[in-house]
């Protein structure tokens, strides 16, 4: 019990000392934070120091806050220190301690709004630096003062409310804050309205700041915007204050009906014109311009049974614009009296007063003008049979003049007639044809022909009307069907073989005068029906088959073709059909190929013409060949004497040209033209330096070929003899006349150089040209025979691809 009593007494003493340590006390309270009460049965621990309170904004500095002591050493033998925010941590330098006395001082003014409390640690050391006591906590609390004014969150608050709103209607809310301690009266705020600029129509809740209406009478047409001055004060309304404004806008409602500015309006309109404005109807409305409560809508209640007028609203002025949608007729009605009403786009409020001028009368006077003629039927559609002769009546396209009070005469003319097919009577509008319209006219679209006719009055300022005339050209069945192109192929002689012969027909007439076509064997020849049958395939084709076995060869049939027109047209047409023997697959056997040339589908006249043309062409070819042969025989010269279908007919003598001054020892080619002169002259002829010595003996004369087949051998032997004769140059001696450079883009005509490409040429096709060209194929073609092989070998030995040009005397093959 003694230890507990000492502990309670110690706490009371500390609390009494702290209460004396508030600002204004000159001597700080002395605390013994490390003094321990005797407690034999418990673990000893340090005292907990109660918080020390100090007011913010204290100006007498330095100010002693408290003094701490340790009872373990004598005064002067203990070193005291503190640590924490405000000492050695930010913000530094606010607190300090006398290290020998333990007095704690306040060195700077405090601001609770920045830091509302400081927690420090106190230490006690001996002179040697050893710890005398355990560190203890020292808490300093900053006491708030009313040093901050309240602040509105906005400089101006806005709100909207409908005009005529009931009392208590919420408008907006004002908000403010205070930086002082919210637990004190320093931050206890109160709101109020300082000024409304008129009757007190709004109130504000002093605690919440809500602004509401307090009475009726809000009228946008009187006051559209209210500007209130608001105030907020702390200390429950007795402290510091701040002001702001509240702008309240009244939203419009349709509480004002639109009204006409006059009871009657007088307007004028011109007849025969539509889509024009006649005049304007002025109205007034006090509601918000541009809103649905202000926009006017006009209705014609009476006086317009045909719907000739309409009224639209000008979005800028809200006036009604009266316009004509259907042309007026002075002769029918000279005056119109309309009854018009006006309303808003939005419905009118039930409590709103009714308009005094919600309706008005509109009087419209119609002005008479010269109107254009009017066609009785426009466009006018009529029909006409194709091929109608000139002078055929098409139609009477007449018009009438709506100006009954004016005596005027009408005249008619053409405005568009691309084929110049029609003729228009200027006085009556009677239209007739001038000639026959061609069915192939490009202006005939889908069987319709279009023309434009004008009707004009004879007033001082004439008016013209345009009428469209559409003429349907009715198709007439004036063409009979005909067989299409001659059908290909042939028929098998057996009825069950082959697909038959497909026949088609065409008709120049358009539907419905064309297909379907009816195919029939000619009734004039009953025997055709016994041997042949026709089956319809579709509307335009039929299939021809033999009923029984028919003989091979050309058969001439006769068909009757009929169309579906009214009345129908028919034509009997011959048909030539070739019949052949067929195999199991329904195809003509090879032995029947000659019969196919009979011309299936050709008429007898066409066949005669073809045969006559072929015979005439053959006669012309024979005449040309005979003339060429007689010309060759008349020359009396040739390389060899023999049959006339010799190759010498292909060698023509154009000219003979020597080799110039240097061509003194050139070979005389006439020796080859006259083989009998190839015998050696008397005496020793000059020898060639390139001739072999073993061939110095003269060669005996050679016999002429007795058959055209021996020509190649004769030429080869002659060349060999010329090469072996040492007294004359060889047949293919190459002499260089002149060197003119290389690189010519024109190529060469040399028979020697041409061998470069001839080696790859195929001349076997010459065998198909006849006996004469077959010999050329033997000589120049592939070495397929002994003669061709020998000629090929001699050509390669005697004509080198790179040899100089040989000396020729103007001969070409």
């Amino acid at each position: 019990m003694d230890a507990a009593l000492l502990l309670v007494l110690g706490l009371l003493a500390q609390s009494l000392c702290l209460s004396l340590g508030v600002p204004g006390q000159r001597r700080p309270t002395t605390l013994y934070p490390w003094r321990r009460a005797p407690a034999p049965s418990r673990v000893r621990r340090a005292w907990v120091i109660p918080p020390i309170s100090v007011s913010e904004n204290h100006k007498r500095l330095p100010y002693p806050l408290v003094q701490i002591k340790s009872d373990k050493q004598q005064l002067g033998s203990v070193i005291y220190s503190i640590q924490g925010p405000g000492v050695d941590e930010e913000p530094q330098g606010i607190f300090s301690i006398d290290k020998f006395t333990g007095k704690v001082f306040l060195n700077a003014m405090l601001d609770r709004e920045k830091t509302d409390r400081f927690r420090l640690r106190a230490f006690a050391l001996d002179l040697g630096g050893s710890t005398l006591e355990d560190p203890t906590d020292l808490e300093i609390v900053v006491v708030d003062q009313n040093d901050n004014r309240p602040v509105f969150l906005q400089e101006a608050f806005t709100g909207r409310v409908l005009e005529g709103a009931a009392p208590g209607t919420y408008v907006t809310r004002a908000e403010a804050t205070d930086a002082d301690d919210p637990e004190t009266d320093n931050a206890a705020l109160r709101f109020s309205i300082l000024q409304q600029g008129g009757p007190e129509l709004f109130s504000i809740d002093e605690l919440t700041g809500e602004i509401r209406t307090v009475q009726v009478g809000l009228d946008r047409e009187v006051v559209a915007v209210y500007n209130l001055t608001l105030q907020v004060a702390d200390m429950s309304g007795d402290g510091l204050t701040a002001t702001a404004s509240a702008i309240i806008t009244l939203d419009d409602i349709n509480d004002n009906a639109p009204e006409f500015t006059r009871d009657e309006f007088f307007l004028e309109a011109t007849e025969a014109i539509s889509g024009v404005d006649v005049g304007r109807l002025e109205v007034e409305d006090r509601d918000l311009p541009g809103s649905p409560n202000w926009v006017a809508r006009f209705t014609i209640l009476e006086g317009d049974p045909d719907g000739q007028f309409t009224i639209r609203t000008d979005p800028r002025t809200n006036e009604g614009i009266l316009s004509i949608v259907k042309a007026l007729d002075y002769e029918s009605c000279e005056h119109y009296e309309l009854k018009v009403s006006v309303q808003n786009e939005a419905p009118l409020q039930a409590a709103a007063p009714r308009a005094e001028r919600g309706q008005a009368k509109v009087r419209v006077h119609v002005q008479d003008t010269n109107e254009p003629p009017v066609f009785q039927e426009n466009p006018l559609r009529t029909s006409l049979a194709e091929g109608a002769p000139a002078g055929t009546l098409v139609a009477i396209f007449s018009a009438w003049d709506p100006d009954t009070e004016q005596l005027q005469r009408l005249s008619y003319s053409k405005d568009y007639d691309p084929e110049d097919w029609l003729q228009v009577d200027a006085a009556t509008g009677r239209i007739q044809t001038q000639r026959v319209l061609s069915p192939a006219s490009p202006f005939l679209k889908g069987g319709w022909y279009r023309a434009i006719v004008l009707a004009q009055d004879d007033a001082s300022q004439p008016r013209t009307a345009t009428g469209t005339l559409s003429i349907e050209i009715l198709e007439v069945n004036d063409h009979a069907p005909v067989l299409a192109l001659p059908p290909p192929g042939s028929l098998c002689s057996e009825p069950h073989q082959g697909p038959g012969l497909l026949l088609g027909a065409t008709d120049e007439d358009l539907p419905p005068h064309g297909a379907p076509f009816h195919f029939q064997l000619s009734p004039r020849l009953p025997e055709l029906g016994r041997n042949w049958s026709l089956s319809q395939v579709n509307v335009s084709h039929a299939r021809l088959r033999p009923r029984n076995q028919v003989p091979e060869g050309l058969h001439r049939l006769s068909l009757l073709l009929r169309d579906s027109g009214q009345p129908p047209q028919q034509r009997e047409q011959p048909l030539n059909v070739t019949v052949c023997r067929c195999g199991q697959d329904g195809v003509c056997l090879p032995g029947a190929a000659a019969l196919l040339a009979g011309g299936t589908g050709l008429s007898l006249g066409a066949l005669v013409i073809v045969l006559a043309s072929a015979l005439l062409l053959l006669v012309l070819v024979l005449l040309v060949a005979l003339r060429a042969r007689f010309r060759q025989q008349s020359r009396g010269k040739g390389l060899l004497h023999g049959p006339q279908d010799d190759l010498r007919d292909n060698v023509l003598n154009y000219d003979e040209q020597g080799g110039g001054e240097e061509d003194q020892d050139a070979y005389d080619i006439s020796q080859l033209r006259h083989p009998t002169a190839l015998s050696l002259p008397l005496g020793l002829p000059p020898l060639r330096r390139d001739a072999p010595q073993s061939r110095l003996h003269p060669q005996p004369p050679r016999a002429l070929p007795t058959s055209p087949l021996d020509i190649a051998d004769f030429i080869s032997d002659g060349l060999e003899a010329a090469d072996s004769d040492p007294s004359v140059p060889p047949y293919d001696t190459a002499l260089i006349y002149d060197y003119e450079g290389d690189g010519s883009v024109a190529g060469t005509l040399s028979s020697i150089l041409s061998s470069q490409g001839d080696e790859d040429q195929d001349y076997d096709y010459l065998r198909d040209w006849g006996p004469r060209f077959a010999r050329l194929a033997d000589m120049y073609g592939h070495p397929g025979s002994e003669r061709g092989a020998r000629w090929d070998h001699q050509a390669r030995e005697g004509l080198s691809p790179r040899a100089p040009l040989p000396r020729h005397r103007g001969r070409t093959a």
Side-chain angles (χ1 to χ4, degrees), residues 454-538:
L454 302 179
Q456 186 178 25
D457 58 28
D458 59 351
S460 58
Q461 295 181 352
R463 301 296 302 275
T464 303
T466 301
T468 301
L469 176 62
S470 297
I471 306 172
E472 182 183 12
I473 306 301
L474 301 178
E475 181 72 19
V476 176
N477 192 15
D478 53 352
H479 294 88
V482 295
L483 283 177
L485 296 176
S490 59
L491 280 174
C492 296
S493 59
E494 298 291 337
H496 63 277
Q497 291 182 335
L501 192 63
L502 186 64
L503 305 177
T506 60
D507 198 323
E508 296 184 14
D509 293 322
L510 298 176
H513 302 296
F517 302 117
H518 178 70
F519 295 81
Q520 180 184 1
L521 294 171
S522 176
R524 297 185 303 100
L525 303 174
E527 64 276 8
L528 295 179
R530 293 191 295 268
N531 296 327
W532 305 92
S533 66
L534 275 173
S535 59
Q536 198 81 21
V537 177
N538 51 34

Side-chain angles (χ1 to χ4, degrees), residues 315-330:
R316 185 178 58 86
T317 63
N318 209 29
E319 296 174 332
I321 303 175
L322 180 66
S323 59
I324 300 175
V325 294
K326 294 182 180 179
L328 306 179
D329 186 10
Y330 174 83

Side-chain angles (χ1 to χ4, degrees), residues 44 49 91 129 156 197 212 226 228 261 266 274 307 345 361 383 432 445 500 523 570 605 688 704 726 811:
R44 296 182 179 182
I49 303 176
R212 297 177 180 272
Y226 289 88
L228 310 182
T261 59
F266 297 92
S274 61
E345 196 174 75
K361 291 183 179 180
S383 60
Q432 62 184 16
K445 305 294 184 181
Q570 64 183 15
R688 287 167 38 203
L704 295 176
R811 290 187 177 272

